[in-house]
């Protein structure tokens, strides 16, 4: 089979897997809460960091969305002088419930000795962190591009005396969004890191992924995001189509292949020999990651055509938190260099 033939087969497989994952995710019941001792340990460390003032919970007014947005900030280790800021976005759940960076990863420990303010907005479920053209009957009013690029940064800069250097990173749904935000507001971010995001919004694979999140999981209407599928706005927000706007930034993009990796053993933390969790992570998570892998390959190809340098990292793995924790650590040296230059 030729290279072109393999590419077509790979794309068809990714589309099929996304379709399967969307159906399963829309109708499956999540397993019961984990008894993983790591969850309890992270909760204890978060409580201690909050008591010590290293974790600050804010309520930031968004006039564009006509509501207050909860924002959690992990303050820089050394505040004796202004420090840079890393905006770290959650995935499809938007930080509602326990599916967010503070509950699922070791970021409190990881950033304990690092001179950066880490800002995690909450309550962005199924929004794609973008400005929707219409209010949605289920998902409400979403003007996240305006909030993240115009409303939130001045509040963070003033309250935490930052030095004005910003980076942005995100997982899954937000892995798409951070690329689009960096293209929309090129003067705001020095660096961008995308973990397991589909970098396409106007292709068949990209629109199917968005439908799976917004409609399959969120119960919203994708036509309220950028108009009907195929409308010009869908291309205007496509990170691959607009990849030239990433020139000059430090870029890190990662994806698993969808095949089981080091965190996907039956005995792995987070699975704990639970058959339902194993099927969810390896079956559904593997299918979703196979699709993001294809999107990521397409972004890498486009950036190479444009001769825009970027770091891409691929390894076996599924669409799950342990890999995103690993990737945050792997991307940090690049992010730190960009934020402190």
């Amino acid at each position: 089979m030729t290279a072109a033939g393999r590419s077509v087969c790979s794309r068809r497989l990714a589309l099929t897997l996304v379709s399967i994952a969307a159906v399963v995710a829309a109708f499956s019941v999540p397993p019961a809460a984990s008894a993983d001792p790591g969850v309890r340990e992270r909760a204890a460390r978060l409580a201690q960091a909050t008591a010590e003032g290293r974790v600050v919970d804010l309520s930031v007014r968004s006039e564009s969305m006509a509501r207050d947005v909860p924002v959690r900030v992990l303050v820089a280790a050394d505040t004796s002088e202004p420090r840079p800021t890393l905006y770290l976005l959650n995935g499809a759940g938007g930080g509602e419930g326990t599916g967010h960076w503070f509950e699922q990863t070791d970021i409190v420990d990881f950033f304990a000795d690092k001179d950066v303010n880490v800002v995690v907005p909450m309550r962005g479920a199924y929004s794609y962190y973008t400005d929707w053209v219409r209010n949605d009957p289920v998902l409400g009013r979403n003007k996240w591009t305006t909030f993240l690029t115009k409303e939130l940064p001045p509040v963070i800069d003033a309250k935490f005396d930052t030095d004005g250097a910003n980076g942005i990173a995100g997982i899954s749904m937000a892995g798409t969004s951070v690329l689009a935000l960096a293209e929309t507001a090129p003067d705001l971010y020095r660096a961008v890191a995308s973990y397991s995001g589909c970098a396409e919004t106007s292709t068949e694979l990209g629109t199917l992924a968005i439908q799976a999140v917004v409609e399959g999981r969120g119960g919203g209407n994708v036509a309220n995001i950028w108009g009907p599928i195929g409308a010009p706005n869908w291309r205007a927000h496509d990170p691959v189509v607009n990849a030239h706007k990433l020139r000059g930034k430090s870029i890190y993009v990662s994806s698993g292949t969808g095949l089981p990796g080091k965190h996907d053993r039956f005995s792995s933390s987070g699975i704990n020999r639970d058959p339902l969790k194993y099927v969810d992570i390896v079956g559904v998570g593997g299918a979703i990651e196979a699709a993001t892998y294809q999107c990521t390959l397409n972004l890498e190809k486009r950036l190479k055509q444009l001769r825009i340098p970027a770091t891409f990292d691929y390894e076996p793995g599924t669409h799950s938190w342990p890999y995103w924790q690993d990737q945050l650590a792997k991307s940090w040296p690049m992010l730190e260099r960009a934020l402190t230059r």
Side-chain angles (χ1 to χ4, degrees), residues 36-52:
D36 182 1
V39 174
R40 295 193 295 272
E41 291 170 6
R42 286 193 294 271
R45 289 195 291 270
L46 174 60
Q48 180 179 350
T50 303
E52 294 171 351

Side-chain angles (χ1 to χ4, degrees), residues 10 26 29 46 65 86 89 104 116 134 162 170 185 188 198 225 237 271 281 287 336:
S10 176
V29 177
L46 174 60
M65 291 192 278
L86 175 65
L89 304 189
Q104 301 295 331
V116 61
R134 285 186 295 273
T162 73
L188 183 59
C198 181
I225 304 178
H237 290 85
I271 298 176
I281 290 175
E336 185 178 35

Side-chain angles (χ1 to χ4, degrees), residues 293-336:
Y293 176 58
Q294 181 63 46
C295 297
T296 304
L297 290 173
N298 292 339
L299 177 63
E300 182 179 22
K301 178 181 177 181
R302 182 57 182 150
L303 288 175
K304 285 181 176 178
Q305 289 173 342
L306 295 169
R307 297 184 179 180
I308 296 175
T311 298
F312 283 82
D313 188 88
Y314 305 104
E315 61 181 350
T318 58
H319 204 72
S320 52
W321 280 102
Y323 294 104
W324 301 329
Q325 174 173 297
D326 290 350
Q327 287 299 332
L328 176 61
K330 290 178 77 171
S331 63
W332 173 246
M334 180 217 76
L335 291 167
E336 185 178 35

Side-chain angles (χ1 to χ4, degrees), residues 64-135:
S64 64
M65 291 192 278
R67 65 183 175 94
D68 295 334
V69 179
V71 177
R72 180 167 287 176
V73 181
L74 185 55
V75 180
D78 181 357
T79 58
S80 62
E81 61 182 270
R83 299 299 183 185
T85 302
L86 175 65
Y87 290 89
L88 190 57
L89 304 189
N90 293 302
E96 300 176 23
T98 61
H100 59 77
W101 284 99
F102 285 91
E103 287 279 352
Q104 301 295 331
T105 75
D106 67 349
I107 67 166
V108 171
D109 288 343
F110 181 76
F111 285 105
D113 61 348
K114 295 173 176 58
D115 295 327
V116 61
N117 299 298
V118 181
V119 178
V120 184
M122 304 292 192
R123 302 277 177 87
Y126 318 120
S127 68
Y128 268 87
Y129 294 108
T130 191
D131 282 1
W132 290 36
V133 296
R134 285 186 295 273
N135 295 346

